[in-house]
Amino acid sequence: MKLKNLLFEVDFKKIIKVLAFAHAHISNKDLSDLDLSFNNLHDINASNSIFNNSDLTGVNLEGSNLYNASFRKTNLTDADLSNTILGESDLVNSNLSRTNFQNSDLTSAKLVGANIKNTIFKDANLSYALIDLVHKRYIKRQNVIGFETIKWI
């Protein structure tokens, strides 16, 4: 391995805090416990990455590939995740208040225990997603794709 690549791996969690890395390819990375709030991270490829316990308040992730990413106990308040691939992603116990998921693919995503107050799901695909039953009426009003296949917990 080149020294440059080794240094990048060692210091990745430190330097990521100050980078606005739109269009970056950061798949399979552990980005847990970071403050990435209000960063412009649109169009990134972070599939299979872990953002658990991170602060992503106001972050722009529009158009990103976050397939099978984990956001457990993550703050995504006011984040833009529109037009984003989030299939199989784990959003359990996350704060999704006022998060924008418009036109996003959340197929088989786990949203159990998530705060979805004023969250935008308009035209999002929620097929086979796991969602708390208490949110059924709210989700129905959002005109989502796959409403009839949602797994209500």
Side-chain angles (χ1 to χ4, degrees), residues 2 12 23 64 67 74 84 96 102 109-110 114 124 147:
K2 293 180 182 176
F12 187 76
H23 304 286
S64 295
Y67 179 81
T74 297
T84 298
L96 308 176
Q102 185 168 350
K110 297 172 213 66
F147 178 82

Side-chain angles (χ1 to χ4, degrees), residues 34-96:
L34 292 179
D35 181 354
L36 298 172
S37 56
F38 301 103
N39 270 294
N40 185 11
L41 311 176
H42 68 89
D43 298 305
I44 65 169
N45 181 356
S47 59
N48 302 301
S49 289
I50 302 168
F51 295 88
N52 296 343
N53 303 303
S54 291
D55 185 0
L56 300 176
T57 303
V59 72
N60 178 7
L61 286 162
E62 187 212 355
S64 295
N65 179 1
L66 303 170
Y67 179 81
N68 198 39
S70 183
F71 296 90
R72 280 184 176 254
K73 298 182 181 177
T74 297
N75 187 356
L76 286 154
T77 302
D78 295 316
D80 184 359
L81 283 91
S82 59
N83 304 300
T84 298
I85 299 168
L86 286 151
E88 306 281 336
S89 290
D90 185 346
L91 296 147
V92 171
N93 296 321
S94 290
N95 186 354
L96 308 176

Side-chain angles (χ1 to χ4, degrees), residues 96-98 111 114-119 121 131 135 138-139:
L96 308 176
S97 179
R98 298 183 307 275
L111 291 97
N115 173 8
I116 63 167
K117 184 176 182 181
N118 298 312
T119 300
F121 290 106
I131 304 175
H135 300 305
Y138 178 74
I139 297 291

